[in-house]
Amino acid sequence: MKKPFAKKSFGQNFLVDHNYIDKIISALDPQKDETIIEIGAGRGALTEKLVESGADITAIELERNMISALKEKFAGSENFRLIEQDALKIDFKKIITDNGQRAKLIANLPYNISTAILQKLIEQREIFSVMILMFQKEVVERITAEAGNKERGFLSVLVQTYLDVKKLFDVPPNAFRPAPKVWSAVVKLQPKNEAAIGIKDTDLFREIVSSGFRQKRKTIFNNLRNCDVILSQMFENKGGIKIILEKIQIEGSRRAETLTLDEWRRLNNFLV
């Protein structure tokens, strides 16, 4: 079987180093009869190891040449299913078999969809037990950035609010073909329970955090003061931004990157 070429338009760089393939599989720890979803199966380097584990594998792939290669490679594997679709358009709840189990997720994600796919996975987090994802290293640095770190932003707060995040290891460019110009990193994400999350209004929370980081060099007070009309009215109904920040003990002169998860939670829940 002739291996398909990587396409720049899909942000494709195929992992070929078996040491890192084994490390990623080990982090997921696939077990027989588990349900595992793989986003972007590509040439099937990870898929092959997953199928060998005896788990029930659902691979998602959009690119036509990769689909043909995967169908040929795993034609005789009863525990392999291929969905030919864009992962951003999939309702993951509908592809999970009703066996009482939550699924494991594994993926090597291109930079251009990292934010969008993370937000989608957060929305459907209740169906996953663990997610092992590989991103460009700078994305992992952003989503793991703690309060006070200059890399901290909207995505950091969103991911850390709903998921336990742990960086596992870096992956060098020479582990891929073609070799990218940047390093990658693998991260482990596990959904938190609702009690640990403690957010009363998830849509409002996203809007508040997004507004807070609108211009990173501005203070939290100035960013929130320039939020949209609906959110602005909610602040006014509670006495105004200055009064609210004083009541929940957040100094308005601070920047959004310095706020802890608990402070974002208090701000959200005060308005509900």
Side-chain angles (χ1 to χ4, degrees), residues 39-40 60 62 85-92 113 117 120:
I39 298 176
I60 300 168
L62 177 63
Q85 195 173 342
D86 185 344
L88 291 174
K89 298 179 180 178
I90 285 180
D91 184 346
F92 291 103
I113 69 164
I117 198 68
K120 184 177 184 69

Side-chain angles (χ1 to χ4, degrees), residues 109 117 160 212 216:
L109 296 169
I117 198 68
Q160 292 174 27
K216 289 193 69 173

Side-chain angles (χ1 to χ4, degrees), residues 176-223:
F176 300 87
R177 294 291 182 276
K181 295 180 180 180
V182 297
W183 280 65
S184 299
V186 176
V187 65
K188 180 179 182 180
L189 305 173
Q190 290 182 283
K192 295 180 179 179
N193 61 48
E194 292 305 310
I197 294 168
I199 299 297
K200 294 181 180 179
D201 187 324
T202 55
D203 290 335
L204 175 62
F205 181 74
R206 288 168 58 94
E207 184 60 33
I208 290 173
V209 178
S210 178
S211 297
F213 281 100
R214 193 177 305 276
Q215 295 187 53
K216 289 193 69 173
R217 294 186 63 83
K218 286 192 172 184
T219 65
I220 187 69
F221 173 79
N222 284 329
N223 274 333

Side-chain angles (χ1 to χ4, degrees), residues 15-44:
L15 184 64
V16 296
D17 189 312
H18 289 280
N19 175 50
Y20 287 102
I21 291 172
D22 289 343
K23 288 180 72 171
I24 293 170
I25 296 297
S26 178
L28 186 72
D29 189 26
Q31 300 294 316
K32 183 177 174 58
D33 297 327
E34 284 184 330
T35 298
I36 297 176
I37 297 174
E38 181 185 11
I39 298 176
R43 291 176 174 172

